[in-house]
Amino acid sequence: MTPSDQIRVLLPLPLAEPFTYRTGEAGPLVPGDIVEVPIGNRVSLGVVWDGNPEPLPPAKVKAVLRRCDAPPISPALRKLVDWVAGYTLNPTGAVLKMCLPEPRALVEPPPMRQILRPGKAIEMRTSAQRDRVLQIAAERPGLSPTELAEAAAVSVAVVRKLVELGALQADQVPAFRPPPPPDWRRDGRALNATQAEAAAGLRAAVAARDFSVTLLEGVTGAGKTEVYYEAVAEALKAGRQVLVLLPEIALTQQSLDRFEQRFGAPAWAWHSEMAEGRRAATLRAIGHGEAKVVIGARSALFLPYADLGLVVVDEEHDASYKQEEGVIYNARDMAVVRAKLEGIAVILASATPSLESLHNVSRRRYAHAVLPERHGAATLPRIDIVDLRKERLPAQRFISAPLQTAIRETVENGEQAMLFLNRRGYAPLTLCGACGHRLQCPNCAAWLVEHKRHGRLQCHHCGHQQRLPDACPSCGAEDRFKACGPGVERLAEEAAMLFAEARLAVMASDTANSPQQIGEMLTRMENREIDILVGTQIVAKGHHFPLLTLVGVIDADLGLAGGDPRAAERTHQLLTQVSGRAGRADHPGRVLLQSFLPEHPVIAALSRHDNAGFIAAEMAERQRAGMPPFGRLAAIILSGTDQAQVQQAARDLARAAPRGPGLTVLGPAPAPLHYLRGRFRERLLLKAAREIDVPNVLREWISSIKLPSAVKRAVDVDPYSFL
């Protein structure tokens, strides 16, 4: 064996570096090839990686078992893996794992399933059941045994007996039937002059086959989707693939329906709720270039597309694009990185763009297309403030008199209303009326949230559940627990009492937690089967309900408390988005914001539709403080089961903190959620000037201190959450 026989193979495991193997009988291998290799006492898939390994003695190098018959991982995607690993300070193999979420899908043939059709005519004992099965099989050939049995209302045994006799013919076909390709020639909706101008710019960016970023900003209901569909059509015309990223799976079904209406065929979906077989089939279709358009959550960004030609990040401002577990990254920012490495166009679409994207527009790094008006005859809703200091609501009541009147008028007019409260469950806090003891999660520094509908208390951070105890664990008093504050269940209870004649539904992530359930709820709204929809942020974005004319925000101040530096921006975005659900069609809309702080800059700006004024003031404040987008942040979170050990490790890390111009280290301090999932948490925050290479500073800092093995470290570059 010579050194030239040795190659680097990266495994989809949390490993920092590729391992060295020899090609063996696998023959010549090149970077990107997917291979099978031995590791320990098992076999793993891996990817031949770029670069030459340090030569090792032949006896220490294992041979590649085989090269898999699968599309190779492209150079651009390999560069993305290396880039993300370096930027986020994660093991390279952990990032590769996101590219191969179903490891064997690309290297094994698709699974098969059995379908039935009429067989030969034979003499046999007949029965009503058999006759019914044969009739349906003739009318609907291609059903599986289970489907045919269900359609004929018989047992599967009856169907299988007919197959055994030869009266039914069984064929083996791929388990997943791919949809037809979308038709880019189909005409979309007629665009007005402003929309057409924006669409032309986006088409040109795609046709240029070069890296570009365009921020597509438009008020809610301005037709942003129809505009970027023109860019999608341009990419399809060139035979290339398109990725449309959505912040939440709640938006997936409606987006898939709109896409099919526009292009005459469904797009491919990608999200965490997909069945394993469907995920494998989708990944295979992506790798072979058969999936032309993928609509999915943030993880879809890392899939091995054969020929990616466009990436669209819808609702680009949304915090859900930030993955907080495992490899911590922001899918919006990584989409821009991937587009640069691929040499393609990326579109960032939002009614409330992030300050980072707007800053990049001002620096001329991004192009900017603006849709200032709603499409057609629709106009922006009127926004009124209900001053809760003057309303003096009765105890345990949360819907003010002005909002009650508006809801009643809306329902009587045959229109729909939405009540928005960004709190799941019945009540965020349960306490003992005798001693004041608060029921807290045993694993987290968080109160247990009552979910009355399911009869349980739940922690929204670790998932711990328990029933309400009969007696207070602190003082022993029985039946003295009180629910404090409203969640959407409690709000729905009050609305049902006030509007007994109205048809009411609740939409939150724990009442509609799959694309199918969400789709059913949206269909009920569109079919006018719901008068009042009560919901959390899941109802705030992307949805289009023509008869929804009133939005009531129960607690507009909810997101403004605490020390989160992004609180004002997030609240402004969320309330603008939820307000934008009202009056999107022919009927004018109205929004009532209930607030104890009507003079707050966020609330005041919303009431005037003064987005530009709010953004200018917030940008100026961020610039004065040196906060993003004018500065950089990175968080280091240490956690462990021994609080003293974690605190000591944090102090040791603080003593080794980097110093110099443009660098400030804050902490250590307990994280706001200082106890989470059974682990104590300490946080240090690095604040840096914009021009500083933050990942490199972090890398040198971290490498200078050896942490105890029981203390876990997480690094969050460009944090969005400060919990």
Side-chain angles (χ1 to χ4, degrees):
M1 184 183 73
T2 65
S4 62
D5 296 318
Q6 297 184 7
I7 56 172
R8 286 159 39 102
V9 177
L10 184 63
L11 306 181
L13 301 170
L15 303 169
E17 295 290 336
F19 284 176
T20 298
Y21 288 89
R22 57 186 174 85
T23 56
E25 297 180 3
L29 296 171
V30 297
D33 283 345
I34 298 178
V35 294
E36 275 190 347
V37 296
I39 176 170
N41 58 359
R42 62 191 178 96
V43 174
S44 172
L45 289 182
V47 179
V48 179
W49 217 244
D50 303 88
N52 296 316
E54 290 292 329
L56 294 175
K60 291 188 175 183
V61 182
K62 295 181 179 180
V64 172
L65 299 177
R66 72 181 182 100
R67 180 193 178 281
C68 299
D69 184 16
I73 301 299
S74 69
L77 185 52
R78 300 197 305 274
K79 288 180 181 178
L80 179 68
V81 169
D82 283 332
W83 195 96
V84 172
Y87 189 79
T88 64
L89 278 69
N90 275 282
T92 314
V95 181
L96 178 65
K97 172 65 177 171
M98 298 193 296
C99 305
L100 300 171
E102 302 290 338
R104 308 213 68 84
L106 291 177
V107 301
E108 291 183 349
M112 307 297 283
R113 72 185 191 114
Q114 191 180 67
I115 62 170
L116 304 176
R117 57 186 170 87
K120 58 188 177 182
I122 62 169
E123 290 188 12
M124 65 176 183
R125 183 172 57 84
T126 62
S127 68
Q129 287 187 333
R130 287 183 172 183
D131 290 344
R132 199 159 59 243
V133 170
L134 293 174
Q135 180 183 348
I136 293 174
E139 293 171 352
R140 299 165 58 189
L143 296 178
S144 70
T146 302
E147 292 167 340
L148 183 53
E150 289 178 354
V154 301
S155 69
V156 176
V158 174
V159 175
R160 296 201 184 282
K161 185 61 178 179
L162 290 171
V163 174
E164 181 183 323
L165 293 170
L168 289 174
Q169 177 68 43
D171 299 316
Q172 296 293 321
V173 298
F176 177 70
R177 287 168 287 189
D183 183 2
W184 58 268
R185 297 177 183 84
R186 286 171 60 104
D187 292 331
R189 292 183 183 178
L191 303 180
N192 61 34
T194 305
Q195 291 172 323
E197 182 180 357
L202 297 179
R203 275 187 174 274
V206 173
R209 286 179 170 260
D210 197 5
F211 169 64
S212 66
V213 185
T214 303
L215 176 62
L216 177 60
E217 179 183 2
V219 298
T220 53
K224 294 182 290 296
T225 303
E226 293 299 325
V227 170
Y228 74 61
Y229 275 170
E230 295 298 307
V232 172
E234 186 68 29
L236 292 174
K237 178 182 176 182
R240 309 192 75 187
Q241 292 171 292
V242 177
L243 168 62
V244 179
L245 289 177
L246 303 174
E248 295 183 13
I249 63 172
L251 302 175
T252 304
Q253 190 56 53
Q254 197 171 47
S255 296
L256 291 170
D257 292 342
R258 291 185 68 176
F259 181 88
E260 188 168 0
Q261 292 169 8
R262 169 66 171 82
F263 292 99
W268 296 69
W270 183 270
H271 53 75
S272 59
E273 297 296 322
M274 296 168 64
E276 183 178 338
R278 184 65 178 266
R279 283 170 64 87
T282 302
L283 183 62
R284 189 179 300 108
I286 287 170
H288 287 272
E290 297 162 357
K292 290 301 182 184
V293 177
V294 177
I295 296 178
R298 59 180 180 243
S299 59
L301 175 65
F302 290 93
L303 301 182
Y305 298 91
D307 185 17
L308 192 59
L310 171 67
V311 178
V312 178
V313 185
D314 208 345
E315 308 288 0
E316 65 88 28
H317 66 279
D318 199 286
S320 297
Y321 282 121
K322 186 65 184 277
Q323 175 159 300
E324 303 284 0
E325 302 285 342
V327 178
I328 300 175
Y329 68 93
N330 188 312
R332 178 200 64 206
D333 299 342
M334 297 307 107
V336 173
V337 173
R338 178 157 195 177
K340 185 172 185 178
L341 294 172
E342 300 265 5
I344 61 174
V346 61
I347 298 169
L348 309 178
S350 176
T352 54
S354 62
L355 297 189
E356 283 82 359
S357 293
L358 290 170
H359 186 58
N360 280 321
V361 167
S362 70
R363 297 170 68 195
R364 299 181 183 273
R365 298 182 64 183
Y366 294 176
H368 197 196
V370 181
L371 307 176
E373 297 178 350
R374 284 189 158 180
H375 183 64
T379 58
L380 290 173
R382 189 180 94 206
I383 299 180
D384 296 320
I385 310 300
V386 177
D387 189 342
L388 292 177
R389 297 172 302 187
K390 298 176 181 178
E391 288 298 314
R392 299 185 181 277
L393 287 173
Q396 310 307 314
R397 290 289 178 265
F398 308 100
I399 302 176
S400 64
L403 183 53
Q404 287 183 43
T405 301
I407 295 170
R408 186 165 287 107
E409 291 174 352
T410 299
V411 174
E412 288 174 353
N413 290 338
E415 298 166 358
Q416 294 170 305
M418 176 189 289
L419 296 178
F420 173 74
L421 176 64
N422 202 22
R423 273 201 189 122
R424 290 183 286 155
Y426 184 79
L429 172 65
T430 301
L431 57 77
C432 174
C435 70
H437 176 76
R438 302 180 178 195
L439 294 178
Q440 183 172 329
C441 174
N443 308 314
C444 305
W447 311 127
L448 290 173
V449 177
E450 182 179 358
H451 286 255
K452 193 173 183 180
R453 180 168 168 263
H454 299 292
R456 66 174 186 253
L457 301 170
Q458 181 176 337
C459 175
H460 288 171
H461 299 285
C462 73
H464 169 81
Q465 297 183 24
Q466 67 181 60
R467 294 200 171 275
L468 186 69
D470 296 327
C472 174
S474 178
C475 71
E478 296 184 355
D479 299 324
R480 295 295 304 275
F481 286 113
K482 295 181 178 180
C484 298
V488 285
E489 289 180 18
R490 194 173 193 181
L491 179 61
E493 187 177 270
E494 181 179 350
M497 180 188 68
L498 293 172
F499 312 104
E501 74 288 353
R503 296 165 296 178
L504 187 142
V506 177
M507 189 171 174
S509 59
D510 48 2
T511 61
N513 55 15
S514 72
Q516 291 74 23
Q517 290 178 318
I518 293 165
E520 290 169 5
M521 185 75 74
L522 299 180
T523 299
R524 290 178 60 200
M525 277 292 290
E526 292 165 0
N527 292 343
R528 186 59 181 81
E529 298 170 9
I530 298 171
D531 298 312
I532 303 172
L533 181 63
V534 182
T536 61
Q537 65 174 351
I538 199 172
V539 305
K541 40 204 167 187
H543 306 305
H544 177 76
F545 306 122
L547 277 176
L548 179 64
T549 58
L550 175 69
V551 170
V553 177
I554 300 303
D555 187 353
D557 314 322
L558 185 59
L560 295 173
D564 189 337
R566 298 184 187 272
E569 179 189 12
R570 279 182 173 169
T571 301
H572 181 265
Q573 289 166 339
L574 182 58
L575 295 184
T576 299
Q577 292 284 340
V578 73
S579 299
R581 299 314 104 201
R584 294 171 66 94
D586 298 332
H587 303 272
R590 185 184 179 196
V591 179
L592 272 71
L593 303 179
Q594 295 188 162
S595 172
F596 285 101
L597 302 168
E599 68 282 353
H600 192 283
V602 170
I603 308 299
L606 286 165
S607 67
R608 301 190 302 267
H609 286 290
D610 185 16
N611 290 357
F614 168 78
I615 289 167
E618 187 70 7
M619 283 282 201
E621 180 63 29
R622 297 273 189 94
Q623 188 168 21
R624 279 193 295 271
M627 297 294 282
F630 300 96
R632 305 282 305 279
L633 292 177
I636 299 177
I637 301 97
L638 302 183
S639 66
T641 56
D642 185 329
Q643 185 176 17
Q645 187 180 44
V646 173
Q647 290 174 337
Q648 183 59 53
R651 288 192 291 269
D652 293 343
L653 195 59
R655 280 193 287 270
R659 292 172 175 80
L663 287 174
T664 304
V665 174
L666 306 174
L673 274 174
H674 66 276
Y675 187 59
L676 183 66
R677 302 186 186 103
R679 299 178 70 86
F680 297 95
R681 304 166 75 237
E682 293 280 320
R683 185 181 67 183
L684 297 96
L685 193 65
L686 173 68
K687 183 179 173 186
R690 187 76 200 171
E691 64 275 8
I692 289 176
D693 184 347
V694 168
N696 191 51
V697 171
L698 289 169
R699 197 173 294 109
E700 292 181 1
W701 180 14
I702 289 170
S703 65
S704 67
I705 293 292
K706 182 174 176 56
L707 296 175
S709 59
V711 175
K712 181 181 177 182
R713 181 190 64 232
V715 178
D716 185 356
V717 181
D718 306 325
Y720 255 57
S721 169
F722 291 85
L723 294 179

